[in-house]
Amino acid sequence: MFYGSDLQNRLMLGTAQYPSPQVLREAIAASGAEVITVSLRREGTGGDAFRDILKESGCRILPNTAGCHSVQEAVTTAQMARELFGTSWIKLEVIGHADTLQPDPFALVEAARILAAEGFDVFPYTTDDLIVGEKLIEAGCRVLMPWGAPIGSGQGLRNKEALKTMRAHFPDIPLVVDAGIGAPSQAMEAMEMGFDAVLLNTAVAKALDPVGMSRAFGQAVSAGRAAHDAGIMPRRDMAVASTPIFGMAELA
C-alpha cells in the first residue's frame, strides 16, 4: 500500500534512455507495471510523443527530482512536477556525490520535511541506513526507497544484510529497492526478502531487447513476491533427507 494505493504489479519502471518512443511504449505494456517514473527534465524534452505514451500507458505517474543536488532545487522541481502532472506523488532525489550518485542524507531529510508539509506524498531515494530511514519517517515519509547499489551500476543487492535488517526494522513501512538492479534474478531476490516493490530503468532501457527484458522483470518480481508470501524454506547448516528414515524397509 503506497499512500493509500494498492498495486497488483510491484514493478515500477523508469522511462529514460529507451531507443525510441515505440520501444518505451511496448516495454511498459510488456512489464505490466502500474507505476512509471518520469523526470521533469525528460518530460520537457520528450515532446508530444513522450506525453502520449504517458497518457496511453494507464500507469500511475511518479515524477522524480532526478539530477537535483540541493534542497531548493529538489523542492522547486517537485513543485513544478506536481503542477505539470497533477499528482502529489514525488520520488525525491537529492544527490550528494557525483561519482556514486549517493543521496545526501541531510539535504534529503530537509527536503522531505518541506515537501511533506506541503502535502506531497514523498518517495525518498535513500541508502540502507536505519537512522536516515527513521529521520525520513519523522519528516513525514510513509515509504522508503533504499538503493540496492549505485544508480545504473547493475550490481544488484550489494549489501544484502543491511537490506534485510532494514526490512526487519521497518516492518510496517512500504520499502522499494531503487537503483542498481541489473538482472531479473536480482529483482526477484529483493522481493523474496520481503520488499514491497522494485524500481529500475537502465537494465531494461539499455538491454538488447528492452521489451523482452521488461517482460522478464515483470515475471521475476511477481514470482519473487509469490515465493515470499508462500514462505521460503530457511537455510540449514546440515543436510536433511527429504525421504524420512522411519518406515523404510530393513534389507540386511
Side-chain angles (χ1 to χ4, degrees):
M1 185 72 72
F2 300 95
Y3 292 104
S5 296
D6 192 12
L7 304 178
Q8 299 302 310
N9 187 301
R10 296 170 183 267
L11 173 63
M12 299 180 178
L13 194 63
T15 57
Q17 306 184 71
Y18 288 82
S20 71
Q22 183 59 30
V23 171
L24 171 58
R25 178 183 287 106
E26 293 176 7
I28 294 173
S31 71
E34 297 175 43
V35 175
I36 53 177
T37 62
V38 182
S39 73
L40 193 64
R41 291 173 174 82
R42 175 72 177 89
E43 201 282 338
T45 60
D48 292 338
F50 184 67
R51 284 188 285 272
D52 288 344
I53 291 172
L54 301 183
K55 294 177 182 178
E56 294 168 4
S57 71
C59 295
R60 181 82 183 243
I61 304 298
L62 176 59
N64 66 55
T65 62
C68 293
H69 293 262
S70 70
V71 172
Q72 187 57 55
E73 187 179 11
V75 169
T76 300
T77 301
Q79 293 167 338
M80 294 171 64
R82 179 164 63 178
E83 182 175 345
L84 180 62
F85 295 108
T87 178
S88 60
W89 281 22
I90 190 72
K91 179 191 169 186
L92 178 61
E93 296 183 27
V94 187
I95 301 302
H97 192 275
D99 292 333
T100 65
L101 301 182
Q102 179 171 325
D104 178 337
F106 307 101
L108 182 66
V109 171
E110 183 180 350
R113 182 174 291 109
I114 293 171
L115 292 174
E118 292 185 3
F120 281 89
D121 298 323
V122 182
F123 292 69
Y125 163 62
T126 182
T127 62
D128 48 34
D129 187 285
L130 300 183
I131 305 305
V132 175
E134 289 177 347
K135 295 299 182 182
L136 287 168
I137 292 170
E138 291 174 5
C141 299
R142 289 191 282 144
V143 174
L144 297 176
M145 304 182 76
W147 67 351
I151 294 172
S153 69
Q155 296 177 21
L157 309 183
R158 193 165 64 170
N159 194 340
K160 297 177 185 178
E161 293 306 314
L163 289 171
K164 290 178 182 178
T165 300
M166 194 171 197
R167 176 68 285 178
H169 190 74
F170 298 107
D172 300 321
I173 298 295
L175 300 181
V176 181
V177 172
D178 177 19
I181 297 294
S185 58
Q186 298 165 356
M188 180 183 293
E189 188 173 16
M191 299 307 296
E192 288 177 346
M193 289 166 57
F195 281 82
D196 297 279
V198 169
L199 194 158
L200 55 94
N201 188 161
T202 307
V204 169
K206 291 299 186 179
L208 293 176
D209 177 6
V211 178
M213 186 61 76
S214 70
R215 182 178 297 108
F217 268 107
Q219 294 168 343
V221 167
S222 295
R225 182 65 192 194
H228 173 267
D229 292 344
I232 298 172
M233 68 173 290
R235 296 183 62 176
R236 296 164 173 161
D237 294 330
M238 299 291 291
V240 178
S242 57
T243 301
I245 301 298
F246 177 77
M248 292 182 66
E250 296 185 12
L251 304 179

